Amino acid sequence: MKTLICTTPGSLEYKKGEKPVLQKGHAIIKVKRIGICGTDLHAFEGTQPYFDYPRILGHELSGELIEFDDAPGFNIGEQVTFIPYFNCGTCIACRSEKPNCCVNIKVCGVHIDGGMVEYLSVPSYSLVHGGSLSYDELALVEPLAIGAHGISRAYVQSGEFVLVIGAGPIGLGVMEFARIAGARVIAMDVNASRLEFCKVHLKIDHVINAADANVSEELRTITGGDMPAVVIDATGSLKAINNAFQYMAHGARFVLIGLQKGDLSFSHPEFHKREATLMSSRNATRKDFEHVIACMKNGLVDPKTYITHKVGFSKVKREFGSWLKPETGVIKAMVSLDE
């Protein structure tokens, strides 16, 4: 089968690989769609933590189930996606029903080779029914589940102001699920076109361009002087994260979904007097996947909104580098293997 390997930062190469053979407790998916994630882009540019080269990228996938062992309730030929965070089942996180932050986690396309292949073997326990959703829609479940998990971690309440920093695909998903939870969403970015996308497609009432605004002043105006009850970073930018500590209301929760390599720095007295809560949000759970799928089926989320670029598998190497450039206007690039 054909594979696409990130051999070193900035370099992708097509190579022939062995089609997987069915193993005990595993399933084989014929890959149909691959969503390009920020993790893939960061790996390509050499800035992704927990990453080694060479690596086959890709974890936002959908496809046809062609073989399986020990997957009760599934059928050959059905459309599926899967939860790409493979957990050990025995560590303290797994025993606490937090497999998304398993001590020994292996994330597909990050710690182990991923889905830029024609056929992929995955643990049967990771399979997720696609039902009536299309392959495009199914490939968007995972990134949207990241946002849904962040909102769950933040325990967002109806009527609260939620500031989402970063209007990339993950941030947009955070905004969607904050809205579904009844929050009043504030979108912040430095990219004017992405903020326009938030207003037009997601109907976000409040947007702030951090590049040319007094952010704290605007937030006070929007929130009636209170500041946001929840601040969520979806940028992975150290500067953005450190700046965001000043945007919290007293009693606020600050959730880090974006990931960067450096150390955080903030004023302890300012943080302490707010009795603020700082937490991370890693990956997602099956509950989050099910919530996303239910929202799609009920029309609360239109996943097709996010797909701005489509490309065949044979053209990914040529196009991939362009998706790092803001001027290309990429929200979500979707790779098709229906060639």
Side-chain angles (χ1 to χ4, degrees):
M1 65 175 180
K2 183 184 286 187
T3 68
L4 182 59
I5 303 173
C6 187
T7 54
T8 58
S11 179
L12 294 170
E13 296 294 336
Y14 288 105
K15 295 187 177 181
K16 284 190 176 181
E18 294 293 324
K19 181 181 175 182
V21 175
L22 184 64
Q23 299 176 336
K24 183 177 175 60
H26 282 67
I28 296 177
I29 298 171
K30 183 178 182 181
V31 178
K32 295 290 188 177
R33 298 289 187 277
I34 308 164
I36 303 301
C37 176
T39 299
D40 303 321
L41 297 171
H42 295 154
F44 181 76
E45 67 182 358
T47 59
Q48 177 64 31
Y50 315 129
F51 202 85
D52 296 308
Y53 303 86
R55 179 67 68 225
I56 299 175
L57 305 176
H59 62 272
E60 299 179 1
L61 304 172
S62 64
E64 177 187 351
L65 183 60
I66 62 169
E67 291 184 81
F68 64 80
D69 173 70
D70 193 22
F74 286 87
N75 297 296
I76 298 297
E78 75 170 281
Q79 298 181 177
V80 296
T81 185
F82 70 102
I83 302 171
Y85 333 115
F86 306 147
N87 62 294
C88 71
T90 59
C91 72
I92 184 170
C94 291
R95 297 196 309 271
S96 302
E97 298 184 356
K98 296 181 178 180
N100 56 298
C101 61
C102 167
V103 174
N104 305 300
I105 201 165
K106 301 294 183 186
V107 178
C108 183
V110 179
H111 305 102
I112 58 175
D113 283 339
M116 289 196 180
V117 296
E118 293 181 284
Y119 298 90
L120 183 67
S121 175
V122 302
S124 295
Y125 67 74
S126 69
L127 291 173
V128 177
H129 291 286
S132 60
L133 298 183
S134 69
Y135 286 127
D136 280 353
E137 291 169 329
L138 278 174
L140 286 165
V141 171
E142 191 274 342
L144 289 171
I146 298 288
H149 187 69
I151 294 302
S152 176
R153 287 281 287 150
Y155 196 59
V156 170
Q157 302 298 297
S158 181
E160 288 187 313
F161 279 105
V162 175
L163 170 64
V164 181
I165 306 170
I170 298 300
L172 296 174
V174 174
M175 295 175 204
E176 288 265 52
F177 286 94
R179 173 184 56 78
I180 290 169
R184 292 180 283 180
V185 181
I186 307 167
M188 189 165 81
D189 204 294
V190 295
N191 186 315
S193 64
R194 288 201 168 184
L195 291 174
E196 186 65 19
F197 184 96
C198 292
K199 288 193 291 185
V200 173
H201 295 286
L202 301 189
K203 310 303 180 186
I204 303 299
D205 292 329
H206 307 291
V207 300
I208 298 174
N209 191 323
D212 56 21
N214 183 323
V215 174
S216 293
E217 196 172 287
E218 286 209 31
L219 288 172
R220 287 191 188 93
T221 299
I222 291 168
T223 62
D226 288 338
M227 303 298 278
V230 178
V231 176
I232 300 179
D233 178 80
T235 67
S237 162
L238 181 58
K239 181 180 179 181
I241 293 169
N242 285 339
N243 284 343
F245 282 93
Q246 65 188 297
Y247 306 147
M248 293 186 295
H250 281 238
R253 291 92 76 198
F254 187 6
V255 183
L256 303 179
I257 298 179
L259 179 64
Q260 51 78 44
K261 291 183 175 181
D263 296 330
L264 303 182
S265 177
F266 58 92
S267 167
H268 188 180
E270 288 296 320
F271 185 77
H272 190 88
K273 76 180 185 181
R274 288 170 168 80
E275 197 179 51
T277 300
L278 174 64
M279 66 185 83
S280 60
S281 177
R282 190 178 187 194
N283 301 323
T285 64
R286 181 170 290 274
K287 181 180 178 181
D288 300 314
F289 274 66
E290 291 171 349
H291 180 43
V292 170
I293 289 172
C295 287
M296 286 183 177
K297 289 181 176 178
N298 292 330
L300 297 175
V301 175
D302 181 3
K304 294 178 182 177
T305 300
Y306 298 91
I307 301 173
T308 54
H309 293 64
K310 290 189 176 184
V311 65
F313 188 52
S314 64
K315 298 180 177 65
V316 174
K317 178 181 176 179
R318 184 185 71 193
E319 299 290 333
F320 200 93
S322 70
W323 298 332
L324 289 161
K325 301 174 183 177
E327 59 267 26
T328 59
V330 173
I331 299 295
K332 177 63 65 177
M334 187 66 68
V335 178
S336 173
L337 279 83
D338 286 340
E339 301 167 303

